[in-house]
Amino acid sequence: MAGNEQHDVIVARDVRKTYAENGVPVEAVRGVSFTITSGEFSALVGPSGSGKTTLLNIISGLDSLTSGEVLLDGRELSAMSGRELSDYRRDSVGFIFQAYNLIPVLTVEENVEYVMLLQGVAKDERRERVHTILTELGLEGFAHRLPPKLSGGQQQRVAVARAIVSEPALILADEPTANLDSKTGAELLDMMRELNQRRGMTFLFSTHDTMIMERARRLITLKDGMIDSDTGES
Amino acid sequence: MSMYFKLAWRNLFRNKRRTLIAGIAIGVGLASLIMTNALTLGMKDNMIATATSSFLGEGQIHRQKYRETGDVDLTINDLDTVTARLTDDPRIKRYTLRVWSYGMIASPVNVSGISVVGIDPATERYLSQVDDAITDGEYFSGDNRRDIVIGSKLAEIMEVKIGDRVVLTTAQAHSGDLAQEMFRISGIYHFNVEEMDRGMAFVRLGVAQEILGLEGQVHEIVLKFTQSDIGMDEKHPFWSEYSEDGNEAVAWTVLLPQIKVAFEMSDLSTLIVGIILFAVVSLGIINTLFMSLYERMFEFGVLRAVGTRPGGMAVLILYEAGALAIISIIIGGIIGFVGTYILSQVGIDYTGIEFVGVTFRKLLYPVLTPSQFIVFPFWVFLFTVVVGLYPAWYAARMTPADAMRKSM
Ligand SMILES: Nc1ncnc2c1ncn2[C@@H]1O[C@H](COP(=O)(O)OP(=O)(O)OP(=O)(O)O)[C@@H](O)[C@H]1O
Ligand SMILES: [Mg+2]
């Protein structure tokens, strides 16, 4: 649950990531520091290859960092085991990717329910929360459909439903609107903004999309793996 | 967790063709194992039956040293006591007495060295198949003391037919004097076993004893048990009970030691077939699991991203391996059963072929046992899951970000 009092959700200090591409080192992130406080609605922007995805993956423990420090809710990320990181993501982070977010063999309902299953939420509560969230996102009729039978916009809404259903403190969204037409994208963003305002959930996007940039309260611009500019929270 | 099982099961049916092909491949492996085993059992049964019922019996009693030397003087001690005991022994179903000697058989055309066996036709017919193998003439009908039954090959060499006269010359026991006697061919048998068809002749027990000067004495008692496992068990107390007073009782497996080697060899070959099959099968499983793993990398990344633990990923893959095993076992069980059943109805014709001194005289029928459908599937299941550990470990330890990038 996102608390009312502001606190640092993510603290990144001098984060560096070097990939070894066929023996040639590629510095994807080169000394990035920033802090995301609760309730933010911020975006990492910058040209392709500037390191946005890498950074999102690092701060969620999906990827390792080469050097630097990341604190998640005050906990040192590199000190956490794979299992602890998994549990952290399960309980505190909601993910939305550009596409293919959903498990194709699970129905919409099962996809949304998945995290709560991992959390061990009782069946009745699970069903109720899934129902509520699907209704809220205009997906009532699709509970028993398989993802491949949905449009791209519908699939992204299901992904949002899954990300928010357990009300994590932080939502990480890597180009969530890239595959959507502008109308659908705008609807989705308004919905997320509403969640941000109403429930105080923290959002961190990575995007090229001007729609997101317009709506974001803070833009952290990356260039060649470094922060080029940071508007700070407005 | 049942959710992982649901996921695993559905994932397996995502690419139905691949799952089916893998299932058939593993299933055929299982079916081959079942059929190999069924055939081996059938062959053992057949060899045992052939070996024991043709002529050897399930056990024999001789005077000590007789087996090694074949000395005509070494007849069974206290024959009456022994036969009395055998008659009262509930473990004994039948027995018959034989007298053996070497001799010369002469026809107007030819002379040949042979083994002459004196038998009691009435009891002998229960312990050997000489009577069944008669192709010409009769098996000691009536009571003509000059009847002699010889093998087909010998008849050919001697150029004799039913009713023809032959002269038998043997050395008498103890004295060593030569004895000669005229016989009339009353029956010709064809066993399809070279030694028996060209090297043996049968006469009545009493006549043989008379010629050899061995009245009331025999060289060999051939046994048939009520429970045939006594014959398979060289350590059974029965053998020591009857190995006394200078006599020696031995199981048929002692008389035909090659057969045990043959059984061990066929067990070994089943094992080798099994190992090869399992090796092939395991490559199939690993391949299938990795193929489905690679094409779902992004999904695995997603599962990790939303909080599935590394161990959860491993469990998922292991469940997939398990589900694949179950499908394969069903397929393999059906193929194995149907295949073996058909063969067991038709039979396999190895008749006339000799293997370690036993010539198959009947069709070979594979033997189905419940354990083939319990033990082998269990192994396949266990094996599949063990083999699945590698992809499971791989899935558990891959970096989610790498996984997602790989399938983008
Ligand atoms: N696994 C990898 N191995 C080698 N280089 C990598 C790897 N992943 C990313 N890179 C490199 O790191 C840099 C940053 O990549 P990243 O995906 O973070 O950029 P991005 O800002 O998200 O770009 P986009 O807007 O196109 O998504 C790029 O130069 C990329 O080629
Ligand atoms: Mg990116």
mmCIF file with all atom_site columns, all heavy atoms in Angstrom, chain A residues 19-21 26-28 46-55 98 174-175 206 208, chain B residues 402 405, ligand 1:
data_model
loop_
_atom_site.group_PDB
_atom_site.id
_atom_site.type_symbol
_atom_site.label_atom_id
_atom_site.label_alt_id
_atom_site.label_comp_id
_atom_site.label_asym_id
_atom_site.label_entity_id
_atom_site.label_seq_id
_atom_site.pdbx_PDB_ins_code
_atom_site.Cartn_x
_atom_site.Cartn_y
_atom_site.Cartn_z
_atom_site.occupancy
_atom_site.B_iso_or_equiv
_atom_site.pdbx_formal_charge
_atom_site.auth_seq_id
_atom_site.auth_comp_id
_atom_site.auth_asym_id
_atom_site.auth_atom_id
_atom_site.pdbx_PDB_model_num
ATOM   1   N N   . TYR A 1 19  ? 27.557 -3.901  -20.364 1.00 0.00 ? 19  TYR A N   1
ATOM   2   C CA  . TYR A 1 19  ? 27.344 -5.215  -20.981 1.00 0.00 ? 19  TYR A CA  1
ATOM   3   C C   . TYR A 1 19  ? 28.592 -5.585  -21.745 1.00 0.00 ? 19  TYR A C   1
ATOM   4   O O   . TYR A 1 19  ? 29.260 -4.718  -22.308 1.00 0.00 ? 19  TYR A O   1
ATOM   5   C CB  . TYR A 1 19  ? 26.185 -5.168  -21.979 1.00 0.00 ? 19  TYR A CB  1
ATOM   6   C CG  . TYR A 1 19  ? 24.831 -4.977  -21.364 1.00 0.00 ? 19  TYR A CG  1
ATOM   7   C CD1 . TYR A 1 19  ? 24.159 -3.764  -21.489 1.00 0.00 ? 19  TYR A CD1 1
ATOM   8   C CD2 . TYR A 1 19  ? 24.207 -6.017  -20.683 1.00 0.00 ? 19  TYR A CD2 1
ATOM   9   C CE1 . TYR A 1 19  ? 22.904 -3.588  -20.955 1.00 0.00 ? 19  TYR A CE1 1
ATOM   10  C CE2 . TYR A 1 19  ? 22.947 -5.841  -20.144 1.00 0.00 ? 19  TYR A CE2 1
ATOM   11  C CZ  . TYR A 1 19  ? 22.296 -4.626  -20.283 1.00 0.00 ? 19  TYR A CZ  1
ATOM   12  O OH  . TYR A 1 19  ? 21.061 -4.463  -19.751 1.00 0.00 ? 19  TYR A OH  1
ATOM   13  N N   . ALA A 1 20  ? 28.884 -6.862  -21.763 1.00 0.00 ? 20  ALA A N   1
ATOM   14  C CA  . ALA A 1 20  ? 29.988 -7.301  -22.613 1.00 0.00 ? 20  ALA A CA  1
ATOM   15  C C   . ALA A 1 20  ? 29.379 -7.923  -23.864 1.00 0.00 ? 20  ALA A C   1
ATOM   16  O O   . ALA A 1 20  ? 28.848 -9.035  -23.827 1.00 0.00 ? 20  ALA A O   1
ATOM   17  C CB  . ALA A 1 20  ? 30.847 -8.309  -21.867 1.00 0.00 ? 20  ALA A CB  1
ATOM   18  N N   . GLU A 1 21  ? 29.395 -7.136  -24.919 1.00 0.00 ? 21  GLU A N   1
ATOM   19  C CA  . GLU A 1 21  ? 28.811 -7.609  -26.176 1.00 0.00 ? 21  GLU A CA  1
ATOM   20  C C   . GLU A 1 21  ? 29.919 -8.212  -27.019 1.00 0.00 ? 21  GLU A C   1
ATOM   21  O O   . GLU A 1 21  ? 30.746 -7.507  -27.575 1.00 0.00 ? 21  GLU A O   1
ATOM   22  C CB  . GLU A 1 21  ? 28.153 -6.425  -26.904 1.00 0.00 ? 21  GLU A CB  1
ATOM   23  C CG  . GLU A 1 21  ? 27.458 -6.789  -28.192 1.00 0.00 ? 21  GLU A CG  1
ATOM   24  C CD  . GLU A 1 21  ? 26.084 -7.393  -27.947 1.00 0.00 ? 21  GLU A CD  1
ATOM   25  O OE1 . GLU A 1 21  ? 26.016 -8.611  -27.710 1.00 0.00 ? 21  GLU A OE1 1
ATOM   26  O OE2 . GLU A 1 21  ? 25.102 -6.637  -27.986 1.00 0.00 ? 21  GLU A OE2 1
ATOM   27  N N   . VAL A 1 26  ? 29.971 -2.619  -23.489 1.00 0.00 ? 26  VAL A N   1
ATOM   28  C CA  . VAL A 1 26  ? 29.019 -1.570  -23.872 1.00 0.00 ? 26  VAL A CA  1
ATOM   29  C C   . VAL A 1 26  ? 28.524 -0.926  -22.589 1.00 0.00 ? 26  VAL A C   1
ATOM   30  O O   . VAL A 1 26  ? 27.928 -1.601  -21.744 1.00 0.00 ? 26  VAL A O   1
ATOM   31  C CB  . VAL A 1 26  ? 27.812 -2.158  -24.642 1.00 0.00 ? 26  VAL A CB  1
ATOM   32  C CG1 . VAL A 1 26  ? 26.822 -1.053  -24.986 1.00 0.00 ? 26  VAL A CG1 1
ATOM   33  C CG2 . VAL A 1 26  ? 28.271 -2.894  -25.887 1.00 0.00 ? 26  VAL A CG2 1
ATOM   34  N N   . GLU A 1 27  ? 28.798 0.344   -22.421 1.00 0.00 ? 27  GLU A N   1
ATOM   35  C CA  . GLU A 1 27  ? 28.348 1.026   -21.207 1.00 0.00 ? 27  GLU A CA  1
ATOM   36  C C   . GLU A 1 27  ? 26.942 1.565   -21.421 1.00 0.00 ? 27  GLU A C   1
ATOM   37  O O   . GLU A 1 27  ? 26.750 2.615   -22.033 1.00 0.00 ? 27  GLU A O   1
ATOM   38  C CB  . GLU A 1 27  ? 29.292 2.181   -20.870 1.00 0.00 ? 27  GLU A CB  1
ATOM   39  C CG  . GLU A 1 27  ? 30.675 1.714   -20.442 1.00 0.00 ? 27  GLU A CG  1
ATOM   40  C CD  . GLU A 1 27  ? 31.504 2.868   -19.914 1.00 0.00 ? 27  GLU A CD  1
ATOM   41  O OE1 . GLU A 1 27  ? 32.046 3.623   -20.740 1.00 0.00 ? 27  GLU A OE1 1
ATOM   42  O OE2 . GLU A 1 27  ? 31.562 3.036   -18.694 1.00 0.00 ? 27  GLU A OE2 1
ATOM   43  N N   . ALA A 1 28  ? 25.961 0.802   -20.948 1.00 0.00 ? 28  ALA A N   1
ATOM   44  C CA  . ALA A 1 28  ? 24.566 1.178   -21.181 1.00 0.00 ? 28  ALA A CA  1
ATOM   45  C C   . ALA A 1 28  ? 24.129 2.266   -20.209 1.00 0.00 ? 28  ALA A C   1
ATOM   46  O O   . ALA A 1 28  ? 23.366 3.156   -20.563 1.00 0.00 ? 28  ALA A O   1
ATOM   47  C CB  . ALA A 1 28  ? 23.664 -0.044  -21.046 1.00 0.00 ? 28  ALA A CB  1
ATOM   48  N N   . GLY A 1 46  ? 14.311 9.866   -23.383 1.00 0.00 ? 46  GLY A N   1
ATOM   49  C CA  . GLY A 1 46  ? 15.616 9.912   -24.036 1.00 0.00 ? 46  GLY A CA  1
ATOM   50  C C   . GLY A 1 46  ? 15.598 9.072   -25.284 1.00 0.00 ? 46  GLY A C   1
ATOM   51  O O   . GLY A 1 46  ? 14.715 8.221   -25.444 1.00 0.00 ? 46  GLY A O   1
ATOM   52  N N   . PRO A 1 47  ? 16.568 9.278   -26.124 1.00 0.00 ? 47  PRO A N   1
ATOM   53  C CA  . PRO A 1 47  ? 16.591 8.560   -27.392 1.00 0.00 ? 47  PRO A CA  1
ATOM   54  C C   . PRO A 1 47  ? 16.769 7.055   -27.203 1.00 0.00 ? 47  PRO A C   1
ATOM   55  O O   . PRO A 1 47  ? 17.151 6.598   -26.127 1.00 0.00 ? 47  PRO A O   1
ATOM   56  C CB  . PRO A 1 47  ? 17.789 9.168   -28.121 1.00 0.00 ? 47  PRO A CB  1
ATOM   57  C CG  . PRO A 1 47  ? 18.614 9.818   -27.072 1.00 0.00 ? 47  PRO A CG  1
ATOM   58  C CD  . PRO A 1 47  ? 17.689 10.212  -25.980 1.00 0.00 ? 47  PRO A CD  1
ATOM   59  N N   . SER A 1 48  ? 16.486 6.362   -28.259 1.00 0.00 ? 48  SER A N   1
ATOM   60  C CA  . SER A 1 48  ? 16.644 4.912   -28.239 1.00 0.00 ? 48  SER A CA  1
ATOM   61  C C   . SER A 1 48  ? 18.088 4.544   -27.910 1.00 0.00 ? 48  SER A C   1
ATOM   62  O O   . SER A 1 48  ? 19.013 5.142   -28.441 1.00 0.00 ? 48  SER A O   1
ATOM   63  C CB  . SER A 1 48  ? 16.254 4.348   -29.604 1.00 0.00 ? 48  SER A CB  1
ATOM   64  O OG  . SER A 1 48  ? 16.373 2.966   -29.590 1.00 0.00 ? 48  SER A OG  1
ATOM   65  N N   . GLY A 1 49  ? 18.248 3.606   -27.045 1.00 0.00 ? 49  GLY A N   1
ATOM   66  C CA  . GLY A 1 49  ? 19.595 3.172   -26.671 1.00 0.00 ? 49  GLY A CA  1
ATOM   67  C C   . GLY A 1 49  ? 20.213 4.000   -25.573 1.00 0.00 ? 49  GLY A C   1
ATOM   68  O O   . GLY A 1 49  ? 21.363 3.784   -25.201 1.00 0.00 ? 49  GLY A O   1
ATOM   69  N N   . SER A 1 50  ? 19.432 4.933   -25.003 1.00 0.00 ? 50  SER A N   1
ATOM   70  C CA  . SER A 1 50  ? 20.026 5.802   -23.992 1.00 0.00 ? 50  SER A CA  1
ATOM   71  C C   . SER A 1 50  ? 20.085 5.135   -22.617 1.00 0.00 ? 50  SER A C   1
ATOM   72  O O   . SER A 1 50  ? 20.686 5.670   -21.695 1.00 0.00 ? 50  SER A O   1
ATOM   73  C CB  . SER A 1 50  ? 19.252 7.121   -23.919 1.00 0.00 ? 50  SER A CB  1
ATOM   74  O OG  . SER A 1 50  ? 17.887 6.868   -23.663 1.00 0.00 ? 50  SER A OG  1
ATOM   75  N N   . GLY A 1 51  ? 19.426 3.952   -22.480 1.00 0.00 ? 51  GLY A N   1
ATOM   76  C CA  . GLY A 1 51  ? 19.575 3.218   -21.231 1.00 0.00 ? 51  GLY A CA  1
ATOM   77  C C   . GLY A 1 51  ? 18.329 3.164   -20.355 1.00 0.00 ? 51  GLY A C   1
ATOM   78  O O   . GLY A 1 51  ? 18.406 2.744   -19.193 1.00 0.00 ? 51  GLY A O   1
ATOM   79  N N   . LYS A 1 52  ? 17.186 3.533   -20.893 1.00 0.00 ? 52  LYS A N   1
ATOM   80  C CA  . LYS A 1 52  ? 15.965 3.589   -20.084 1.00 0.00 ? 52  LYS A CA  1
ATOM   81  C C   . LYS A 1 52  ? 15.544 2.206   -19.587 1.00 0.00 ? 52  LYS A C   1
ATOM   82  O O   . LYS A 1 52  ? 15.308 2.005   -18.389 1.00 0.00 ? 52  LYS A O   1
ATOM   83  C CB  . LYS A 1 52  ? 14.816 4.209   -20.921 1.00 0.00 ? 52  LYS A CB  1
ATOM   84  C CG  . LYS A 1 52  ? 15.141 5.565   -21.519 1.00 0.00 ? 52  LYS A CG  1
ATOM   85  C CD  . LYS A 1 52  ? 13.986 6.145   -22.300 1.00 0.00 ? 52  LYS A CD  1
ATOM   86  C CE  . LYS A 1 52  ? 13.636 5.377   -23.567 1.00 0.00 ? 52  LYS A CE  1
ATOM   87  N NZ  . LYS A 1 52  ? 14.681 5.440   -24.615 1.00 0.00 ? 52  LYS A NZ  1
ATOM   88  N N   . THR A 1 53  ? 15.445 1.274   -20.532 1.00 0.00 ? 53  THR A N   1
ATOM   89  C CA  . THR A 1 53  ? 15.014 -0.077  -20.150 1.00 0.00 ? 53  THR A CA  1
ATOM   90  C C   . THR A 1 53  ? 16.009 -0.704  -19.175 1.00 0.00 ? 53  THR A C   1
ATOM   91  O O   . THR A 1 53  ? 15.623 -1.319  -18.177 1.00 0.00 ? 53  THR A O   1
ATOM   92  C CB  . THR A 1 53  ? 14.870 -0.965  -21.405 1.00 0.00 ? 53  THR A CB  1
ATOM   93  O OG1 . THR A 1 53  ? 13.875 -0.388  -22.245 1.00 0.00 ? 53  THR A OG1 1
ATOM   94  C CG2 . THR A 1 53  ? 14.493 -2.387  -21.053 1.00 0.00 ? 53  THR A CG2 1
ATOM   95  N N   . THR A 1 54  ? 17.275 -0.523  -19.488 1.00 0.00 ? 54  THR A N   1
ATOM   96  C CA  . THR A 1 54  ? 18.310 -1.072  -18.609 1.00 0.00 ? 54  THR A CA  1
ATOM   97  C C   . THR A 1 54  ? 18.130 -0.570  -17.182 1.00 0.00 ? 54  THR A C   1
ATOM   98  O O   . THR A 1 54  ? 18.185 -1.344  -16.217 1.00 0.00 ? 54  THR A O   1
ATOM   99  C CB  . THR A 1 54  ? 19.701 -0.679  -19.140 1.00 0.00 ? 54  THR A CB  1
ATOM   100 O OG1 . THR A 1 54  ? 19.804 -1.082  -20.501 1.00 0.00 ? 54  THR A OG1 1
ATOM   101 C CG2 . THR A 1 54  ? 20.801 -1.332  -18.334 1.00 0.00 ? 54  THR A CG2 1
ATOM   102 N N   . LEU A 1 55  ? 17.870 0.718   -17.060 1.00 0.00 ? 55  LEU A N   1
ATOM   103 C CA  . LEU A 1 55  ? 17.712 1.317   -15.744 1.00 0.00 ? 55  LEU A CA  1
ATOM   104 C C   . LEU A 1 55  ? 16.485 0.761   -15.014 1.00 0.00 ? 55  LEU A C   1
ATOM   105 O O   . LEU A 1 55  ? 16.550 0.410   -13.832 1.00 0.00 ? 55  LEU A O   1
ATOM   106 C CB  . LEU A 1 55  ? 17.601 2.837   -15.907 1.00 0.00 ? 55  LEU A CB  1
ATOM   107 C CG  . LEU A 1 55  ? 18.110 3.709   -14.767 1.00 0.00 ? 55  LEU A CG  1
ATOM   108 C CD1 . LEU A 1 55  ? 19.495 3.292   -14.309 1.00 0.00 ? 55  LEU A CD1 1
ATOM   109 C CD2 . LEU A 1 55  ? 18.123 5.177   -15.217 1.00 0.00 ? 55  LEU A CD2 1
ATOM   110 N N   . GLN A 1 98  ? 5.988  -3.050  -22.826 1.00 0.00 ? 98  GLN A N   1
ATOM   111 C CA  . GLN A 1 98  ? 5.514  -2.533  -24.105 1.00 0.00 ? 98  GLN A CA  1
ATOM   112 C C   . GLN A 1 98  ? 4.479  -3.468  -24.744 1.00 0.00 ? 98  GLN A C   1
ATOM   113 O O   . GLN A 1 98  ? 3.486  -3.057  -25.295 1.00 0.00 ? 98  GLN A O   1
ATOM   114 C CB  . GLN A 1 98  ? 6.737  -2.402  -25.017 1.00 0.00 ? 98  GLN A CB  1
ATOM   115 C CG  . GLN A 1 98  ? 6.445  -1.839  -26.379 1.00 0.00 ? 98  GLN A CG  1
ATOM   116 C CD  . GLN A 1 98  ? 7.763  -1.645  -27.131 1.00 0.00 ? 98  GLN A CD  1
ATOM   117 O OE1 . GLN A 1 98  ? 8.808  -1.484  -26.522 1.00 0.00 ? 98  GLN A OE1 1
ATOM   118 N NE2 . GLN A 1 98  ? 7.691  -1.639  -28.443 1.00 0.00 ? 98  GLN A NE2 1
ATOM   119 N N   . ASP A 1 174 ? 7.392  0.145   -18.934 1.00 0.00 ? 174 ASP A N   1
ATOM   120 C CA  . ASP A 1 174 ? 8.372  0.347   -20.004 1.00 0.00 ? 174 ASP A CA  1
ATOM   121 C C   . ASP A 1 174 ? 7.641  0.508   -21.327 1.00 0.00 ? 174 ASP A C   1
ATOM   122 O O   . ASP A 1 174 ? 7.200  -0.465  -21.922 1.00 0.00 ? 174 ASP A O   1
ATOM   123 C CB  . ASP A 1 174 ? 9.324  -0.854  -20.049 1.00 0.00 ? 174 ASP A CB  1
ATOM   124 C CG  . ASP A 1 174 ? 10.555 -0.583  -20.902 1.00 0.00 ? 174 ASP A CG  1
ATOM   125 O OD1 . ASP A 1 174 ? 10.660 0.524   -21.478 1.00 0.00 ? 174 ASP A OD1 1
ATOM   126 O OD2 . ASP A 1 174 ? 11.413 -1.488  -20.992 1.00 0.00 ? 174 ASP A OD2 1
ATOM   127 N N   . GLU A 1 175 ? 7.518  1.757   -21.751 1.00 0.00 ? 175 GLU A N   1
ATOM   128 C CA  . GLU A 1 175 ? 6.821  2.087   -22.995 1.00 0.00 ? 175 GLU A CA  1
ATOM   129 C C   . GLU A 1 175 ? 5.469  1.398   -23.095 1.00 0.00 ? 175 GLU A C   1
ATOM   130 O O   . GLU A 1 175 ? 5.206  0.647   -24.043 1.00 0.00 ? 175 GLU A O   1
ATOM   131 C CB  . GLU A 1 175 ? 7.692  1.695   -24.190 1.00 0.00 ? 175 GLU A CB  1
ATOM   132 C CG  . GLU A 1 175 ? 9.130  2.109   -23.957 1.00 0.00 ? 175 GLU A CG  1
ATOM   133 C CD  . GLU A 1 175 ? 9.890  2.376   -25.236 1.00 0.00 ? 175 GLU A CD  1
ATOM   134 O OE1 . GLU A 1 175 ? 9.238  2.715   -26.239 1.00 0.00 ? 175 GLU A OE1 1
ATOM   135 O OE2 . GLU A 1 175 ? 11.119 2.271   -25.206 1.00 0.00 ? 175 GLU A OE2 1
ATOM   136 N N   . SER A 1 206 ? 9.071  4.558   -18.804 1.00 0.00 ? 206 SER A N   1
ATOM   137 C CA  . SER A 1 206 ? 10.166 4.788   -19.747 1.00 0.00 ? 206 SER A CA  1
ATOM   138 C C   . SER A 1 206 ? 9.466  5.001   -21.074 1.00 0.00 ? 206 SER A C   1
ATOM   139 O O   . SER A 1 206 ? 8.563  4.236   -21.421 1.00 0.00 ? 206 SER A O   1
ATOM   140 C CB  . SER A 1 206 ? 11.059 3.554   -19.795 1.00 0.00 ? 206 SER A CB  1
ATOM   141 O OG  . SER A 1 206 ? 11.291 3.188   -21.138 1.00 0.00 ? 206 SER A OG  1
ATOM   142 N N   . HIS A 1 208 ? 9.157  7.186   -25.190 1.00 0.00 ? 208 HIS A N   1
ATOM   143 C CA  . HIS A 1 208 ? 9.421  8.204   -26.215 1.00 0.00 ? 208 HIS A CA  1
ATOM   144 C C   . HIS A 1 208 ? 8.145  9.000   -26.472 1.00 0.00 ? 208 HIS A C   1
ATOM   145 O O   . HIS A 1 208 ? 8.145  9.934   -27.237 1.00 0.00 ? 208 HIS A O   1
ATOM   146 C CB  . HIS A 1 208 ? 9.733  7.566   -27.579 1.00 0.00 ? 208 HIS A CB  1
ATOM   147 C CG  . HIS A 1 208 ? 10.877 6.630   -27.605 1.00 0.00 ? 208 HIS A CG  1
ATOM   148 N ND1 . HIS A 1 208 ? 12.166 7.060   -27.606 1.00 0.00 ? 208 HIS A ND1 1
ATOM   149 C CD2 . HIS A 1 208 ? 10.931 5.273   -27.669 1.00 0.00 ? 208 HIS A CD2 1
ATOM   150 C CE1 . HIS A 1 208 ? 12.967 6.006   -27.681 1.00 0.00 ? 208 HIS A CE1 1
ATOM   151 N NE2 . HIS A 1 208 ? 12.237 4.919   -27.702 1.00 0.00 ? 208 HIS A NE2 1
ATOM   152 N N   . ASP B 2 402 ? 17.686 -10.762 -19.258 1.00 0.00 ? 402 ASP B N   1
ATOM   153 C CA  . ASP B 2 402 ? 18.260 -11.468 -20.406 1.00 0.00 ? 402 ASP B CA  1
ATOM   154 C C   . ASP B 2 402 ? 17.195 -12.294 -21.104 1.00 0.00 ? 402 ASP B C   1
ATOM   155 O O   . ASP B 2 402 ? 17.121 -12.330 -22.331 1.00 0.00 ? 402 ASP B O   1
ATOM   156 C CB  . ASP B 2 402 ? 19.383 -12.404 -19.951 1.00 0.00 ? 402 ASP B CB  1
ATOM   157 C CG  . ASP B 2 402 ? 20.614 -11.642 -19.507 1.00 0.00 ? 402 ASP B CG  1
ATOM   158 O OD1 . ASP B 2 402 ? 20.709 -10.444 -19.861 1.00 0.00 ? 402 ASP B OD1 1
ATOM   159 O OD2 . ASP B 2 402 ? 21.464 -12.238 -18.819 1.00 0.00 ? 402 ASP B OD2 1
ATOM   160 N N   . ARG B 2 405 ? 15.032 -10.160 -23.230 1.00 0.00 ? 405 ARG B N   1
ATOM   161 C CA  . ARG B 2 405 ? 15.693 -9.616  -24.408 1.00 0.00 ? 405 ARG B CA  1
ATOM   162 C C   . ARG B 2 405 ? 15.836 -10.690 -25.481 1.00 0.00 ? 405 ARG B C   1
ATOM   163 O O   . ARG B 2 405 ? 15.727 -10.417 -26.657 1.00 0.00 ? 405 ARG B O   1
ATOM   164 C CB  . ARG B 2 405 ? 17.072 -9.078  -24.014 1.00 0.00 ? 405 ARG B CB  1
ATOM   165 C CG  . ARG B 2 405 ? 17.469 -7.865  -24.807 1.00 0.00 ? 405 ARG B CG  1
ATOM   166 C CD  . ARG B 2 405 ? 18.759 -7.271  -24.284 1.00 0.00 ? 405 ARG B CD  1
ATOM   167 N NE  . ARG B 2 405 ? 18.584 -6.479  -23.065 1.00 0.00 ? 405 ARG B NE  1
ATOM   168 C CZ  . ARG B 2 405 ? 19.042 -6.805  -21.881 1.00 0.00 ? 405 ARG B CZ  1
ATOM   169 N NH1 . ARG B 2 405 ? 19.690 -7.923  -21.696 1.00 0.00 ? 405 ARG B NH1 1
ATOM   170 N NH2 . ARG B 2 405 ? 18.854 -6.014  -20.836 1.00 0.00 ? 405 ARG B NH2 1
HETATM 171 N N1  . LIG C 3 .   ? 22.106 -7.505  -23.162 1.00 0.00 ? 1   LIG C N1  1
HETATM 172 C C1  . LIG C 3 .   ? 22.755 -6.504  -23.717 1.00 0.00 ? 1   LIG C C1  1
HETATM 173 N N2  . LIG C 3 .   ? 23.981 -6.738  -24.197 1.00 0.00 ? 1   LIG C N2  1
HETATM 174 C C2  . LIG C 3 .   ? 24.683 -5.751  -24.754 1.00 0.00 ? 1   LIG C C2  1
HETATM 175 N N3  . LIG C 3 .   ? 24.245 -4.506  -24.880 1.00 0.00 ? 1   LIG C N3  1
HETATM 176 C C3  . LIG C 3 .   ? 23.030 -4.210  -24.421 1.00 0.00 ? 1   LIG C C3  1
HETATM 177 C C4  . LIG C 3 .   ? 22.221 -5.185  -23.821 1.00 0.00 ? 1   LIG C C4  1
HETATM 178 N N4  . LIG C 3 .   ? 21.067 -4.607  -23.449 1.00 0.00 ? 1   LIG C N4  1
HETATM 179 C C5  . LIG C 3 .   ? 21.139 -3.331  -23.814 1.00 0.00 ? 1   LIG C C5  1
HETATM 180 N N5  . LIG C 3 .   ? 22.315 -3.074  -24.399 1.00 0.00 ? 1   LIG C N5  1
HETATM 181 C C6  . LIG C 3 .   ? 22.777 -1.805  -24.871 1.00 0.00 ? 1   LIG C C6  1
HETATM 182 O O1  . LIG C 3 .   ? 22.633 -0.893  -23.836 1.00 0.00 ? 1   LIG C O1  1
HETATM 183 C C7  . LIG C 3 .   ? 22.206 0.345   -24.325 1.00 0.00 ? 1   LIG C C7  1
HETATM 184 C C8  . LIG C 3 .   ? 20.940 0.768   -23.607 1.00 0.00 ? 1   LIG C C8  1
HETATM 185 O O2  . LIG C 3 .   ? 19.905 -0.073  -23.981 1.00 0.00 ? 1   LIG C O2  1
HETATM 186 P P1  . LIG C 3 .   ? 18.410 0.091   -23.450 1.00 0.00 ? 1   LIG C P1  1
HETATM 187 O O3  . LIG C 3 .   ? 17.621 -1.032  -23.936 1.00 0.00 ? 1   LIG C O3  1
HETATM 188 O O4  . LIG C 3 .   ? 18.467 0.339   -22.010 1.00 0.00 ? 1   LIG C O4  1
HETATM 189 O O5  . LIG C 3 .   ? 17.969 1.456   -24.177 1.00 0.00 ? 1   LIG C O5  1
HETATM 190 P P2  . LIG C 3 .   ? 16.550 2.152   -24.171 1.00 0.00 ? 1   LIG C P2  1
HETATM 191 O O6  . LIG C 3 .   ? 16.821 3.545   -23.748 1.00 0.00 ? 1   LIG C O6  1
HETATM 192 O O7  . LIG C 3 .   ? 15.600 1.396   -23.433 1.00 0.00 ? 1   LIG C O7  1
HETATM 193 O O8  . LIG C 3 .   ? 16.219 2.152   -25.723 1.00 0.00 ? 1   LIG C O8  1
HETATM 194 P P3  . LIG C 3 .   ? 14.795 2.041   -26.412 1.00 0.00 ? 1   LIG C P3  1
HETATM 195 O O9  . LIG C 3 .   ? 14.223 3.395   -26.299 1.00 0.00 ? 1   LIG C O9  1
HETATM 196 O O10 . LIG C 3 .   ? 15.127 1.689   -27.819 1.00 0.00 ? 1   LIG C O10 1
HETATM 197 O O11 . LIG C 3 .   ? 14.040 1.017   -25.723 1.00 0.00 ? 1   LIG C O11 1
HETATM 198 C C9  . LIG C 3 .   ? 22.040 0.164   -25.813 1.00 0.00 ? 1   LIG C C9  1
HETATM 199 O O12 . LIG C 3 .   ? 23.205 0.663   -26.455 1.00 0.00 ? 1   LIG C O12 1
HETATM 200 C C10 . LIG C 3 .   ? 21.926 -1.286  -25.980 1.00 0.00 ? 1   LIG C C10 1
HETATM 201 O O13 . LIG C 3 .   ? 22.430 -1.672  -27.249 1.00 0.00 ? 1   LIG C O13 1
#
